[in-house]
Amino acid sequence: MYKAVVFFDLDGTLFDNQKNVSDDNIAAINQLRENNILPVISTGRNIFEIQYVIDATGINSLVSANGSYVQYQGKKLKAEQISDEVIEEILAFAKKQGDVISFYNNEEFALTAENDLTKVNYRLLRLTPHVEPDFYKTHEVNFLNVFNYDKDKLYQDEFKGELSLVRNNPRCLDTMKWGISKQTGIQALLKKAQLGDIPSYAFGDQLNDLQMFAEVDYPVAMGNGHPDVKAKASFVTTSNVNGGIVNGLKHYGLIK
């Protein structure tokens, strides 16, 4: 039985500014394991996007795509599927706005089109996109991105009750089935893996981490985090490039 479980966001949290996990953070994760504490990645990203992180850290329990796909010890626990009907609704709405959408599952992704936003986004993420507007007709879709800068409320109002949309970076809205979030993914993992009776911790920095914070016993905000995230934290550690993970874990005595 694990003594505790720790959930780690990636961008701006476990990652440095080059989207890598530092040697110090890898060492801290290994110390957690030695102390019989379970490390879990909890991210807006999909599993295929972060295989290099899984390889570097050895973490194989994940809440990915903001709770849309969950696995425990390398095995799928839960996968949400957005229906073709709902996808076609948001495709039609996005077309009127002139916005591009990307489709995701745990293995691959495709775009409805390319534009300046998508080119910048996937260059930063080290991914090579391809355009396939009918991808959803032949593939399961767990998660979407809607590319725009400032249409959060417009989409949230239009798809209330069907889709949950949250801005995870300036270029796009993470889009899940209604009610799905990192929080629901964590709930599923804790329940199915029978981890609900042990202390839980979470490290995060952005607005899509707020629901994750609401689910754990000890939410830890990064020093570089959004002010609203810091306000909900039980502890604010240093930044992601200034020992934030190590310092936060040490604060709670999870590592030495």
Side-chain angles (χ1 to χ4, degrees), residues 155-169:
Y155 277 88
Q156 289 163 354
D157 289 347
E158 181 70 19
F159 292 97
K160 185 176 182 179
E162 290 186 299
L163 295 168
S164 293
L165 299 101
V166 61
R167 186 164 297 279
N168 192 26
N169 77 46

Side-chain angles (χ1 to χ4, degrees), residues 30-172:
N30 289 333
Q31 285 187 60
L32 288 176
R33 291 196 190 90
E34 292 170 4
N35 294 337
N36 199 28
I37 296 169
L38 177 68
V40 180
I41 291 171
S42 181
T43 180
R45 297 201 192 202
N46 295 267
I47 289 177
F48 72 88
E49 300 178 67
I50 58 168
Q51 188 59 52
Y52 74 101
V53 182
I54 296 168
D55 294 341
T57 62
I59 297 175
N60 61 0
S61 297
L62 300 99
V63 174
S64 67
N66 282 338
S68 297
Y69 190 95
V70 181
Q71 72 175 42
Y72 176 60
Q73 296 182 341
K75 296 182 180 179
K76 181 175 77 172
L77 286 185
K78 174 187 177 187
E80 302 291 344
Q81 184 171 358
I82 302 174
S83 70
D84 289 358
E85 180 182 5
V86 172
I87 290 173
E88 287 174 356
E89 287 178 17
I90 196 169
L91 285 175
F93 189 77
K95 185 176 182 179
K96 292 178 182 177
Q97 307 304 318
D99 294 340
V100 171
I101 285 181
S102 56
F103 313 102
Y104 290 85
N105 57 43
N106 63 304
E107 296 180 341
E108 57 187 322
F109 78 109
L111 292 169
T112 57
E114 284 191 300
N115 64 14
D116 290 343
L117 287 181
T118 67
K119 290 174 183 177
V120 171
N121 191 69
Y122 292 114
R123 183 169 64 248
L124 291 171
L125 296 178
R126 307 175 185 175
L127 295 173
T128 302
H130 75 280
V131 174
E132 188 179 343
D134 292 334
F135 177 90
Y136 70 96
K137 294 181 179 178
T138 55
H139 299 77
E140 180 177 301
V141 174
N142 309 129
F143 177 87
L144 304 167
N145 273 149
V146 182
F147 286 87
N148 59 63
Y149 282 123
D150 56 3
K151 300 175 185 175
D152 306 41
K153 190 174 188 303
L154 180 69
Y155 277 88
Q156 289 163 354
D157 289 347
E158 181 70 19
F159 292 97
K160 185 176 182 179
E162 290 186 299
L163 295 168
S164 293
L165 299 101
V166 61
R167 186 164 297 279
N168 192 26
N169 77 46
R171 295 166 297 279
C172 60

